[in-house]
Amino acid sequence: MADLVDLRSDTLTRPTAGMREAMATAEVGDDVYGEDPTINALEAEVAALFGHEAALFAPSGSMANQIALQLLVPPGDELLCDADAHVVTYEIGAAAAYGGISSRTWPAVGADIDPETVAGMVRADGYFAVPTRAIAVEQTHNRGGGGVIPLATLRELRGVADVAGVALHCDGARIWHAHVADGVPLIEYGRLFDTMSVCLSKGLGAPVGSLVVGSAEKIERARMIRKRMGGGMRQAGILAAAGRYALAHHVDRLSEDHARAARLAEAVAPFGVLATAVRTNLVLLDLTKHALDARALAAAAREQGVLISVLGPRTARLVTYLGIDDDAVTQASTALTRVLSA
């Protein structure tokens, strides 16, 4: 059998030779003291890309999200997001456990958000109700199949937040994919949000790291929150160097991942399991009408040399990323066709 093709997640990327070289030669210092020059350079670079005053390097996307939410929502107050949002689905209840944040969700619709629905959910102070302090969206949307929230929708949500006097956060783990898919400048996204988290260790291929982006005042507070959560790092410039390399070399190439995901979608589409149109690097499978459930499909695919992710009883996911080349897509397409047609 050929080597396994692992389509479970874009977190499986490994540093390229050039990235390893950048890490090995990185200039470092103590980041808790603010003295790691490579981290400082990365933070300044990312802040500038999104048109914000400052940014903070964090070990993970979950930590970056939770730092941002604590900046925006006081303990006991409310965050609004969708029912499939990463911040309430895959972060192990951190908003409640660390921030004392109450959350309320609109029905899961992926990237197809209705701003009027969100506006109608915002609760003001008073009446013994939990007041809404922030709205969070996810760009691109993971459980929405890598869907891209249109810029017009985001602008409407910014208007909703402004009228209600609440903040707007973007879980931008894959915002680089949205930028490449829709051609929206990163600074256009940045000007719409009070805080953002952006990830380096998925599509961009760095081994570790995300950043919180916001105002200088917010990021100063974020440093204390990061330290409280155990995220204070020392000579982590070797990690930041990977992120800087990724920003320089791995953004434009995301279009290759999108094209390969589209090829996978074409292979599975005849079997009626494609859940959503493929816009970026995620292919979501809905097996409701197929004889195989998600676990059975994953087991059968593994026998054919392909690993896929199980998201639910009848939901599976394929992900392309740095390291999945055209030959791997061909191998996976052949295997999945064989399994789905059996």
Side-chain angles (χ1 to χ4, degrees), residues 260-274 283 318 329-330 332-338 340:
R260 289 172 180 139
R263 283 185 56 201
L264 288 170
E266 289 174 7
V268 302
F271 303 99
V273 297
L274 192 61
V283 183
L318 320 174
V329 170
T330 297
S333 297
T334 300
L336 290 167
T337 297
R338 184 179 299 122
L340 289 166

Side-chain angles (χ1 to χ4, degrees), residues 24 48 92 94 160 212 276 282-283 313 338:
I92 321 298
V160 168
V212 186
T276 60
L282 307 185
V283 183
R338 184 179 299 122

Side-chain angles (χ1 to χ4, degrees), residues 139-157:
Q139 182 77 309
T140 64
H141 198 291
N142 178 11
R143 289 185 63 89
V148 181
I149 305 171
L151 183 62
T153 300
L154 294 175
R155 286 173 171 161
E156 287 187 60
L157 287 170

